[in-house]
């Protein structure tokens, strides 16, 4: 599948501009291409109870399910300077669950797979194989 990285970046920037970040002032936007060709996106949504904050990736996964089923094949995340941002550890796990095998991410050190940024991951397969 052809991946338009520039379009993904623009969608991530658009999402970033909707972020609700009164506490950190650190807006984040994420966008992804799905295996059926959709673009899904999300922004971070903070909370007065700080730990309740939703990362941009959480919003993106919500958008994935809201707009239909599917798996993520390519992912892009930006900060307020429109620079590439790496998903936090929790969000790498979140993305892994909904990724197609070999999902690509634009990272600070080039395009990588989800398996490279979350090596030896624990996922649905482990639950199936070991239970
Ligand atoms: N944040 C994200 O939205 N995604 C990440 O992967 C890293 C962190 C948000 C959470 C919080 O609203 C702000 O960035 C500062 O941590």
């Amino acid at each position: 599948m052809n991946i338009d990285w520039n379009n993904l970046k623009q969608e991530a920037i658009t999402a970033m501009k909707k972020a609700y970040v009164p506490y950190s002032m650190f807006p984040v936007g994420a966008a992804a291409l799905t295996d059926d060709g959709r673009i899904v996106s999300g922004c971070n949504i903070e909370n007065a109870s700080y730990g309740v904050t939703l990362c941009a990736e959480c919003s993106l996964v919500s958008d994935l399910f809201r707009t239909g089923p599917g798996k993520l094949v390519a992912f892009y995340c930006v900060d307020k300077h429109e620079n590439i941002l790496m998903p936090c550890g929790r969000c790498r796990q979140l993305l892994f669950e909904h990724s197609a095998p070999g999902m690509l991410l634009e990272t600070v050190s080039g395009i990588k797979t989800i398996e490279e940024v979350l090596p030896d991951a624990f996922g649905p397969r482990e639950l199936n194989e070991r239970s």
Side-chain angles (χ1 to χ4, degrees), residues 9-120:
K9 178 181 180 181
Q10 293 309 318
E11 293 286 343
I13 291 168
T14 298
M16 178 269 292
K17 290 179 177 167
K18 297 284 183 79
Y20 174 72
V21 288
Y23 308 109
S24 73
M25 311 297 226
F26 192 89
V28 178
L33 175 66
T34 68
D35 56 359
D36 60 354
R38 285 177 291 132
I39 302 283
V40 292
S41 63
C43 59
N44 51 337
I45 305 167
E46 298 188 340
N47 193 281
S49 179
Y50 302 157
V52 177
T53 288
L54 303 178
C55 281
E57 294 86 340
C58 298
S59 302
L60 180 148
V61 168
S62 173
D63 199 26
L64 175 68
F65 279 80
R66 182 185 64 82
T67 57
K71 293 288 184 186
L72 305 172
V73 299
F75 173 87
Y76 204 113
C77 188
V78 296
D79 65 15
K80 71 174 169 191
H81 304 296
E82 306 184 359
N83 290 325
I84 293 165
L85 190 73
M86 293 304 291
C88 72
R90 179 180 183 276
C91 287
R92 293 179 199 199
Q93 179 73 24
L94 187 72
L95 291 169
F96 181 74
E97 179 90 12
H98 304 292
S99 60
M103 182 191 96
L104 298 173
L105 303 88
E106 187 75 84
T107 80
V108 291
S109 46
I111 293 173
K112 293 188 174 173
T113 66
I114 185 70
E115 291 82 5
E116 286 175 295
V117 301
L118 192 68
D120 302 326

